[in-house]
Amino acid sequence: MRNIFVLLTTLMLSPAIKADEGMWLPFLISDQQIEMMQQKGLEIPFESIYSHSAPSLKDAVVSLDDGACTGEFISDKGLLLTNHHCGYNEIQQHSTLQHNYLENGFWAKSLEQELPNPGKTATLLIEAHDVTQRIQEAAKNLMGAERQQAIDSICEIVEVEAFEKSKLEATVKSFFYGNTYILFLTETYADVRLVGTPPSSIGKFGGDTDNWMWPRHTGDFSFFRVYCAPDGSPAEYSPENIPFTPKMHLKINTQGYTKGDFTMTMGYPGYTQRYLTSHGVQEIQDVINPIVAEVRGIKQAIWADAMQSSPAINIKYAAKYSESSNYWKYAIGQNQALEKLSVIEQREQTEASFNNWIQKDSVLLNQYGKTLSIIEASYMLGNKLTLAETITDETMLQGAELVNFALETSSLFMELMEADEDEAASSASNKDELTNTIQSLYKDYDATLDQQVFEAMLQFYLEEVPESLRPPVEELVGKKYVNDLSGFVKSLYKQTAFTSADKVMALFSNPDEEALFADPAIVFSYQVLSYLYQMMDIHDKLLLQFDDSQRQLIKGYMEQNKGRAYYPDANSTMRLSFGSVGDYEPKDGVKYKYLTTLSGIIEKENQELADFQVPQQLKIIFENKDYGPYQLTDGQMPVCFLTSNDITGGNSGSPVLNGKGQLIGVAFDGNWEAMTSDLAYESRLQKCICVDIRYVLLIVDKLAGAHNLIEEMDVVTE
């Protein structure tokens, strides 16, 4: 229901799961799936892919930033490979007009030159255990809020017990919408330093134009290094930290691949909804995606104008624009694909089949007869709430930055005020956090630009949110400005302290709760937030019956299709997918080959368009055919390739492995024709777009001259 505010961890079910479909939990994978992998070309025993006790490939794969991306160790000194766009925020944070790493790239030639990144993390999965029986026993015969409270309570107990026993981070996660529970034991390393990145003309070649498109020619990669305390344990950044030694790192294969070759990915896909009912898909298509596309389009147009006119603003807003535009284009593409691929109609057929099945048995009818009708009613009753919540989120919480600044710093301020005066260390820690947060927020902020965005977002919010689900306009902006929103915005930005770090720090230098909450940005933000919380509370009550029915529906589908292999929706836990290298035909008369080369980059070059500028050094490499050992047998230089691996957001940076478990590429995107992938796997069209590891090595070797990194890697030729 609430796609933005409630992450529904649902079951992935398909009428006919194809060989390449599936984001499988490696610790629960069946013999059937292992046998299928072997038939497709897996040459190594599965125990070398995943093992609790012995080093395995899973020890070489990490979750970056709590599931935002994936990375893989490619040396025994903690060298980590991921996507350029996964490191884009850090690259931007280190960039200045004097040292513009976005434009020129960055390469550390020694450990001392590697750049720290406060807040960036790398998390390793150590063990995973099925605790379903214990969790479900605690919630037996319970429903709704009572059931959820019981589950939350027992999960906390399980996590505490696991931590006390292992001294590892312990988290219980739900799968199959509450039909399965898994305990994960992990370790998180918080000292992750930037090692190397190509310029954006390579790492983002094609930009928004080529995003989600094939053929692709993007060198979407960057390097980081994980550091630890001298004893090997996780630690915050310190000059005394040393490079982390992983239990396993990946070997790099430069022999490449051919059409039909087996491929495997391991990573941390973030979020799929592959068994939403037809009503859920309809809500995404009709309500959520159109709002996302329209609001972000307005905001991005304002940003783009300012970025084009000012190099300083361009650096400040590069990462923000990239993050926003990625989901903006995704929402547009997903809606086009939903309609073209008739996803809603397919779901309706599945639901009709389920209803026909339960009608034939009175026991089944009694158990499952009301599930779909309750789910449908929940969507109907919550439709206006979803509309209002999505608009509020996109315009107020993700629109102008002023609102978030006010909310985040006021929250930290309250923590500071509530700290026990006798706990000086705690109080000092809160003050440091407040200072660091303020400095971080305002480092890449322009108040004049944000004011333009705020006015556009406020206009949309007031026009599109139903009056009953937002503050009255006269209360929100004051009677004086009911017909003069521009005047209200100018007054707000003139009076508030939240337009600069210096003003905010001055406000907090002598803590005054009354003065803080009288600030007009705080007053405005809390009015909006108050209505949002009211909507969410109503929605939560609707979800109580919805959750129970969704869990029952999934259980019913599994009973209806006994003997079929199932995998759960993505929820930022480690998954394995397998497929093969291959072409695809997006439409009649068109066939896309599985491989692109450096020739395509030169063909696309357009120095008048920012997305298609080519570095002079790369053109020289092309002209001289200076490809070293990385070229194909026909003399071409590979850049990107396609596989049928099943991935989604969070898989960015995932290693693409051959049948021997060796690294041949890095996953970074999906294709436009299958933008329904978070909701449904399209076997004919769905492709994983990968950067060829040989192109990565070419850039590191020939363009960057970072031979120290090449020497550190474990490169094999067979």
Side-chain angles (χ1 to χ4, degrees):
M1 292 176 65
R2 288 192 283 117
N3 185 53
I4 298 297
F5 298 97
V6 179
L7 301 183
L8 302 177
T9 309
T10 55
L11 170 69
M12 194 308 298
L13 288 169
S14 173
I17 292 177
K18 307 297 188 299
D20 297 339
E21 179 183 354
M23 301 177 189
W24 304 96
L25 291 162
F27 35 86
L28 293 181
I29 200 164
S30 68
D31 291 340
Q32 173 189 356
Q33 303 309 119
I34 295 174
E35 183 179 350
M36 191 178 296
M37 293 171 68
Q38 293 168 339
Q39 291 172 354
K40 290 178 71 70
L42 179 65
E43 300 179 35
I44 57 177
F46 190 79
E47 290 73 21
S48 64
I49 297 174
Y50 183 89
S51 172
H52 280 322
S53 55
S56 59
L57 292 179
K58 67 104 167 148
D59 298 310
V61 182
V62 305
S63 170
L64 290 174
D65 304 325
D66 197 26
C69 281
T70 299
E72 51 273 3
F73 290 117
I74 54 172
S75 86
D76 60 1
K77 298 181 180 63
L79 185 63
L80 198 70
L81 176 61
T82 188
N83 288 154
H84 181 271
H85 75 260
C86 292
Y88 198 67
N89 186 63
E90 287 73 32
I91 300 166
Q92 182 268 329
Q93 288 288 320
H94 288 296
S95 292
T96 63
L97 290 174
Q98 294 73 31
H99 300 286
N100 193 338
Y101 300 138
L102 288 172
E103 182 176 338
N104 303 317
F106 166 79
W107 300 96
K109 298 302 174 67
S110 66
L111 295 179
E112 291 72 26
Q113 293 180 3
E114 295 174 359
L115 303 175
N117 304 284
K120 194 166 191 66
T121 60
T123 300
L124 277 162
L125 172 63
I126 309 302
E127 295 180 15
H129 302 280
D130 192 330
V131 292
T132 304
Q133 185 174 354
R134 184 174 179 187
I135 303 300
Q136 290 189 341
E137 185 64 30
K140 190 175 182 180
N141 299 324
L142 299 177
M143 300 290 280
E146 191 176 0
R147 172 187 171 83
Q148 192 56 54
Q149 290 169 3
I151 289 175
D152 291 343
S153 178
I154 188 63
C155 284
E156 184 177 354
I157 292 171
V158 170
E159 290 169 353
V160 170
E161 290 177 352
F163 172 75
E164 291 177 346
K165 181 178 179 180
S166 66
K167 302 307 177 187
L168 297 170
E169 301 159 353
T171 306
V172 174
K173 289 204 172 189
S174 167
F175 297 85
F176 302 129
Y177 211 84
N179 286 292
T180 300
Y181 290 88
I182 306 293
L183 169 68
F184 295 90
L185 301 179
T186 59
E187 277 190 319
T188 297
Y189 292 80
D191 188 353
V192 183
R193 305 182 194 180
L194 179 63
V195 174
T197 175
S200 293
S201 54
I202 290 175
K204 281 179 66 68
F205 182 79
D208 282 341
T209 307
D210 275 5
N211 192 19
W212 304 106
M213 300 294 186
W214 185 262
R216 201 72 179 272
H217 299 83
T218 310
D220 197 346
F221 69 90
S222 60
F223 295 91
F224 289 81
R225 192 183 305 278
V226 176
Y227 282 74
C228 61
D231 65 358
S233 63
E236 297 289 335
Y237 169 79
S238 169
E240 285 72 41
N241 286 350
I242 62 174
F244 172 67
T245 302
K247 295 179 183 177
M248 174 74 72
H249 68 274
L250 300 179
K251 294 183 177 181
I252 295 173
N253 186 294
T254 57
Q255 292 302 104
Y257 42 80
T258 58
K259 183 178 178 180
D261 279 359
F262 172 84
T263 53
M264 174 174 61
T265 64
M266 297 183 73
Y268 289 84
Y271 177 45
T272 57
Q273 300 179 93
R274 291 219 178 142
Y275 202 70
L276 277 184
T277 62
S278 59
H279 312 291
V281 178
Q282 191 83 57
E283 184 175 79
I284 289 173
Q285 184 177 27
D286 294 348
V287 179
I288 296 171
N289 282 345
I291 292 169
V292 169
E294 185 172 3
V295 174
R296 294 196 180 205
I298 295 169
K299 175 179 67 177
Q300 289 159 198
I302 297 171
W303 280 353
D305 286 345
M307 292 167 71
Q308 290 170 10
S309 63
S310 169
I313 290 179
N314 186 62
I315 290 175
K316 287 182 177 182
Y317 280 81
K320 300 172 188 177
Y321 186 95
S322 179
E323 181 180 357
S324 177
S325 65
N326 187 59
Y327 189 38
W328 163 77
K329 191 169 183 179
Y330 173 85
I332 295 170
Q334 186 179 74
N335 261 21
Q336 292 181 9
L338 284 172
E339 184 173 349
K340 182 178 180 180
L341 300 177
S342 304
V343 173
I344 293 174
E345 290 78 0
Q346 292 175 25
R347 295 296 164 89
E348 289 173 341
Q349 292 172 11
T350 301
E351 291 155 17
S353 172
F354 180 73
N355 272 327
N356 290 336
W357 174 68
I358 63 176
Q359 294 295 330
K360 298 175 182 179
D361 188 312
S362 60
V363 175
L364 294 175
L365 186 61
N366 181 63
Q367 186 172 4
Y368 302 117
K370 296 181 180 180
T371 54
L372 280 169
S373 60
I374 291 175
I375 290 171
E376 180 181 7
S378 297
Y379 279 107
M380 290 178 62
L381 292 170
N383 187 264
K384 285 187 177 180
L385 292 170
T386 298
L387 172 72
E389 288 170 357
T390 306
I391 294 173
T392 303
D393 180 59
E394 287 293 325
T395 59
M396 297 291 105
L397 301 186
Q398 299 192 58
E401 296 173 273
L402 184 73
V403 174
N404 259 326
F405 289 179
L407 293 174
E408 188 166 351
T409 52
S410 64
S411 177
L412 286 173
F413 178 85
M414 292 306 298
E415 291 179 15
L416 180 64
M417 294 293 290
E418 293 170 2
D420 190 333
E421 294 180 359
D422 294 332
E423 297 180 4
S426 175
S427 180
S429 176
N430 285 335
K431 288 179 180 177
D432 289 343
E433 184 180 359
L434 179 63
T435 300
N436 292 336
T437 297
I438 292 171
Q439 291 174 344
S440 175
L441 289 175
Y442 289 93
K443 175 183 179 294
D444 298 308
Y445 177 69
D446 184 273
T448 301
L449 176 57
D450 196 52
Q451 182 175 325
Q452 296 177 51
V453 174
F454 186 96
E455 184 172 342
M457 296 294 99
L458 178 59
Q459 184 76 38
F460 193 97
Y461 174 75
L462 291 174
E463 289 179 356
E464 301 298 332
V465 176
E467 291 185 9
S468 61
L469 298 176
R470 62 162 173 78
V473 63
E474 61 272 13
E475 292 183 11
L476 192 61
V477 305
K479 293 181 179 180
K480 177 181 178 181
Y481 296 111
V482 168
N483 297 311
D484 183 16
L485 291 184
S486 181
F488 166 74
V489 174
K490 289 178 183 177
S491 174
L492 174 64
Y493 274 72
K494 183 179 180 179
Q495 295 180 44
T496 182
F498 288 92
T499 53
S500 79
D502 289 342
K503 289 181 181 179
V504 175
M505 291 302 297
L507 184 64
F508 291 161
S509 61
N510 295 302
D512 184 339
E513 185 175 343
E514 184 175 345
L516 172 72
F517 286 96
D519 186 281
I522 293 285
V523 173
F524 177 91
S525 301
Y526 273 57
Q527 283 181 288
V528 171
L529 204 63
S530 174
Y531 272 76
L532 176 61
Y533 284 162
Q534 290 177 43
M535 288 187 284
M536 293 174 66
D537 184 59
I538 296 170
H539 229 153
D540 285 341
K541 292 175 181 176
L542 284 177
L543 281 169
L544 293 177
Q545 282 190 312
F546 173 87
D547 290 347
D548 290 330
S549 296
Q550 187 75 9
R551 185 179 66 256
Q552 282 294 100
L553 181 63
I554 290 166
K555 183 179 178 182
Y557 274 119
M558 296 177 74
E559 188 174 347
Q560 181 188 13
N561 301 283
K562 290 179 180 178
R564 183 175 296 168
Y566 297 96
Y567 61 91
D569 261 322
N571 62 350
S572 296
T573 54
M574 177 176 279
R575 303 300 175 93
L576 178 151
S577 77
F578 57 94
S580 58
V581 176
D583 310 324
Y584 77 105
E585 299 182 18
K587 54 187 175 181
D588 184 49
V590 176
K591 183 174 183 177
Y592 284 143
K593 295 181 179 179
Y594 66 84
L595 179 70
T596 61
T597 67
L598 187 53
S599 298
I601 293 178
I602 304 304
E603 291 170 0
K604 285 184 176 180
E605 180 186 12
N606 186 335
Q607 293 299 329
E608 295 182 0
L609 297 177
D611 288 349
F612 296 101
Q613 295 181 7
V614 180
Q616 183 63 29
Q617 277 184 278
L618 188 59
K619 289 194 283 187
I620 293 172
I621 291 172
F622 173 77
E623 291 166 0
N624 296 333
K625 299 297 183 283
D626 184 20
Y627 304 148
Y630 313 119
Q631 64 185 331
L632 302 171
T633 55
D634 63 0
Q636 293 282 334
M637 182 64 222
V639 175
C640 295
F641 65 101
L642 293 172
T643 76
S644 58
N645 290 87
D646 192 359
I647 68 165
T648 189
N651 270 123
S652 292
S654 289
V656 184
L657 309 170
N658 63 15
K660 297 178 180 179
Q662 299 166 340
L663 186 67
I664 59 172
V666 186
F668 71 90
D669 211 351
N671 60 314
W672 185 254
E673 298 83 6
M675 295 294 284
T676 59
S677 60
D678 283 357
L679 302 173
Y681 182 89
E682 171 46 57
S683 60
R684 296 177 299 106
L685 297 175
Q686 191 158 326
K687 292 296 177 181
C688 169
I689 302 177
C690 320
V691 58
D692 194 302
I693 195 63
R694 292 167 293 186
Y695 185 55
V696 174
L697 295 176
L698 175 81
I699 300 302
V700 175
D701 187 354
K702 300 291 185 175
L703 190 143
H707 302 125
N708 55 312
L709 300 183
I710 298 290
E711 293 171 0
E712 188 178 333
M713 301 175 197
D714 194 352
V715 180
V716 297
T717 57
E718 59 180 28

